[in-house]
């Protein structure tokens, strides 16, 4: 009985995970990465199509402490997070663990006081096959700033 309940609980939680798609051409669930992260829940997958993704706030992507897999469909050669020399690329701040996975992006042209390409504060996300290029921090961590 206990084993059946445990297996049923595992299958139910796995079945509830969603897959979200992002395409800067608008042919997906979202046309920007942040909107997909906002909609996602722990365990979800966000697939980003090739393109160049920018933003209007201080960070192009704030992972919001979510345990999601954010990855490109085409790899770092064709999928870009571009700060336009005005903003940070990715922010992880506080509760991201190794279950927060960011994979297959080139993060470029980002600018911030610290952690221009990516800032990790009190967290431990998993970064796979990402390239950081032409990012400038006025204090610390042009590419990545890890704090605590």
């Amino acid at each position: 009985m206990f084993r059946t309940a445990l297996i049923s609980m595992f299958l139910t939680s796995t079945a509830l995970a969603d897959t979200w798609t992002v395409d800067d051409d608008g042919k997906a669930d979202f046309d920007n990465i942040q909107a997909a992260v906002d909609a996602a829940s722990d365990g979800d997958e966000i697939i980003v199509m090739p393109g160049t993704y920018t933003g209007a706030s201080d960070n192009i992507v704030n992972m919001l402490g979510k345990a999601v897999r954010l990855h490109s469909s085409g790899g770092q050669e064709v999928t870009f997070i571009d700060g336009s020399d005005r903003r940070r690329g990715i922010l992880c701040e506080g509760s991201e663990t190794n279950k927060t996975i960011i994979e297959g992006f080139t993060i470029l042209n980002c600018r911030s006081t610290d952690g221009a390409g990516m800032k990790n504060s009190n967290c431990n996300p998993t970064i796979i096959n990402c390239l950081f290029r032409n990012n400038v921090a006025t204090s610390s961590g042009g590419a990545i700033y890890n704090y605590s």
Side-chain angles (χ1 to χ4, degrees):
M1 169 97 168
F2 176 73
R3 188 183 326 194
T4 303
L6 191 62
I7 291 170
S8 175
M9 192 169 59
F10 174 74
L11 291 175
T12 301
S13 67
T14 303
L16 296 178
D18 287 319
T19 299
W20 304 97
T21 57
V22 180
D23 191 335
D24 62 347
D25 292 332
K27 300 172 188 167
D29 297 316
F30 302 97
D31 65 0
N32 70 82
I33 298 170
Q34 188 61 55
V37 172
D38 291 347
S41 299
D42 288 348
D44 286 358
E45 177 181 21
I46 301 169
I47 304 170
V48 181
M49 304 306 153
T52 300
Y53 297 88
T54 60
S57 67
D58 292 340
N59 310 293
I60 297 169
V61 181
N62 181 338
M63 295 303 295
L64 302 173
K66 297 184 179 183
V68 297
R69 179 174 179 229
L70 171 67
H71 66 99
S72 65
S73 66
Q76 62 176 274
E77 299 84 10
V78 293
T79 314
F80 306 96
I81 294 174
D82 188 338
S84 304
D85 291 321
R86 289 189 299 258
R87 60 190 51 89
R88 176 180 293 117
I90 302 171
L91 176 65
C92 293
E93 197 168 46
S95 54
E96 290 85 359
T97 68
N98 62 350
K99 292 182 181 180
T100 300
I101 300 168
I102 301 165
E103 179 177 2
F105 296 95
T106 292
I107 297 102
L108 72 158
N109 303 323
C110 298
R111 185 174 293 271
S112 185
T113 302
D114 52 14
M118 181 174 193
K119 181 178 180 180
N120 299 313
S121 181
N122 298 310
C123 61
N124 188 30
T126 301
I127 311 301
I128 303 169
N129 294 326
C130 288
L131 175 66
F132 293 82
R133 193 175 76 207
N134 299 327
N135 300 299
V136 177
T138 56
S139 179
S140 301
I144 300 175
Y145 179 67
N146 294 316
Y147 176 76
S148 203

